[in-house]
Amino acid sequence: MRKFMIMAMALMMFFASEAFAAKPKVVIYTSMYEDVIEAMTQTLQEKFPDYDVEFFYGGTGTLQAKIAAELDAKKLGCDMLMVADPSYSLELKQMGILHAYLSEQAKNLALDYDPEGYWYPVRNLNMILAFNPENYSREDLPKTFKEFAYNSDLKAAISMPNPLTAGTALVAISALKDKYGYEYFDKLSENRVMVESGSVALTKLETGECKVIMILEESVLKKREEEDSALEVIYPEDGVICVPSPIMTINDKYSAHANSKICEELTDWFLSPEGQSYIVKGWMHSVLKNPPAIPYDSINTAEIFTRAMPVDWAKCLAERAELRTNFEDRVKK
């Protein structure tokens, strides 16, 4: 009996110590580059040693599908979201999925945010054009998104990301449709645009198979810094398509671990100058009025904003299904 009691007490002490040692956990679904996530994970471990912060990577479209499936079970696998499509934050807010938090860091933001604190811009992504000066001259290539689709000299030598899976691509076709109408989609089709991942498009740009591609600025800047690539950015004269991607906290009722107070701390850090410096190191633009820096080889962030093509976020959300259907019917037919 005494031996049994000793074993029982030992087990109780073991499980108690395990419970005591377990850190509160926060899972963040994000579409950021995996190497950027890796760097941030290390930093967050140092800044918040009492918490277990874990990232789950996926494209915005993939994460939206994952969240839709999880909502059927009334419980998400994440506590925070950092996805690319700002209109998605409007949808989740309408559904009552998000947690409101009025961050003190909001006063430093250069971009719009939800006045009730349901979402904040955390990184600015820019859809641009890119080319390879080793294969083609800048003077012979489009200076606008319109030329990209309408110039028949580019037929079968252009590429773009897929708006059916990429949130930034969906934003791009929404802005371009508003500016040029659905005829823009028809012209992309006539010009035999290739719809593919950024990595495939960049390879085709390097080999010369593509003359010019529509792609996120960060993808080109990353190659320039890490691989000393010759690829160059074209900032379209009819407007850079800016995508101020949001950070959101899930309501404790639906979140994986119900640690919204920790998520508030993380939100403050991501919106702080220190947190934004890691955004910039990841070749994305800061959302602060006084950004800590600009991404490697980019132009001034304020200039990016002045060149921006208008995007109607509420319309982008309302027309999401229509945009995807038209793109599939007209471009990917």
Side-chain angles (χ1 to χ4, degrees), residues 48-76:
F48 301 95
D50 295 332
Y51 308 144
D52 180 10
V53 182
E54 179 182 308
F55 287 94
F56 178 89
Y57 168 78
T60 296
T62 301
L63 292 177
Q64 287 174 342
K66 181 175 174 62
I67 289 168
E70 291 173 347
L71 280 173
D72 289 339
K74 307 299 182 184
K75 181 68 72 173
L76 301 188

Side-chain angles (χ1 to χ4, degrees), residues 24-300:
K25 188 171 185 177
V26 168
V27 174
I28 304 173
Y29 285 179
T30 183
S31 58
M32 289 191 300
Y33 282 133
E34 290 180 89
D35 49 354
V36 177
I37 293 171
E38 186 176 334
M40 282 194 171
T41 298
Q42 179 64 37
T43 301
L44 289 172
Q45 286 174 351
E46 297 168 0
K47 297 294 296 184
F48 301 95
D50 295 332
Y51 308 144
D52 180 10
V53 182
E54 179 182 308
F55 287 94
F56 178 89
Y57 168 78
T60 296
T62 301
L63 292 177
Q64 287 174 342
K66 181 175 174 62
I67 289 168
E70 291 173 347
L71 280 173
D72 289 339
K74 307 299 182 184
K75 181 68 72 173
L76 301 188
C78 66
D79 304 282
M80 300 182 76
L81 286 170
M82 293 173 64
V83 293
D85 179 5
S87 69
Y88 190 47
S89 59
L90 305 183
E91 178 181 5
L92 294 181
K93 179 184 175 181
Q94 290 172 8
M95 294 171 66
I97 303 298
L98 301 181
H99 168 78
Y101 169 59
L102 297 174
S103 173
E104 280 294 313
Q105 300 294 335
K107 62 181 181 295
N108 301 319
L109 296 175
L111 300 167
D112 290 339
Y113 58 91
D114 183 71
E116 297 175 276
Y118 284 100
W119 54 265
Y120 297 95
V122 71
R123 55 192 174 125
N124 190 70
L125 315 179
N126 301 301
M127 193 67 75
I128 47 82
L129 300 175
F131 76 106
N132 187 348
E134 294 180 342
N135 294 327
Y136 301 100
S137 169
R138 182 184 287 265
E139 287 69 34
D140 299 329
L141 296 174
K143 296 178 177 59
T144 64
F145 279 118
K146 184 173 185 179
E147 290 177 69
F148 175 79
Y150 282 69
N151 186 344
S152 59
D153 291 340
L154 303 173
K155 184 173 289 188
I158 58 174
S159 173
M160 68 175 292
N162 188 353
L164 306 183
T165 57
T168 49
L170 180 68
V171 171
I173 65 166
S174 176
L176 291 164
K177 188 275 296 181
D178 285 350
K179 191 170 184 68
Y180 298 116
Y182 276 119
E183 180 185 76
Y184 191 86
F185 290 23
D186 298 329
K187 292 298 182 181
L188 285 172
S189 179
E190 289 174 22
N191 245 6
R192 292 169 53 192
V193 66
M194 291 172 267
V195 181
E196 54 206 353
S197 70
S199 59
V200 172
L202 289 167
T203 298
K204 290 183 177 179
L205 204 59
E206 290 176 321
T207 62
E209 184 176 346
C210 279
K211 293 182 178 180
V212 63
I213 62 174
M214 182 191 300
I215 195 166
L216 287 176
E217 178 196 33
E218 64 194 86
S219 300
V220 181
L221 302 184
K222 183 177 189 289
K223 281 193 78 72
R224 287 182 64 82
E225 181 170 19
E226 292 190 338
E227 303 175 28
D228 198 27
S229 172
L231 301 186
E232 292 185 12
V233 172
I234 298 172
Y235 296 96
E237 293 176 0
D238 52 355
V240 173
I241 301 173
C242 294
V243 188
S245 302
I247 186 169
M248 302 166 270
T249 294
I250 304 301
N251 187 309
D252 281 345
K253 178 181 176 182
Y254 298 97
S255 70
H257 303 98
N259 284 323
S260 58
K261 291 301 178 184
I262 298 174
C263 296
E264 292 176 1
E265 291 183 51
L266 293 172
T267 296
D268 285 341
W269 183 82
F270 274 108
L271 300 180
S272 72
E274 182 183 20
Q276 286 293 293
S277 70
Y278 284 89
I279 294 293
V280 172
K281 287 175 186 175
W283 308 281
M284 299 169 283
H285 284 262
S286 170
V287 295
L288 300 182
K289 293 174 183 175
N290 297 302
I294 60 171
Y296 175 85
D297 255 11
S298 182
I299 63 175
N300 188 278

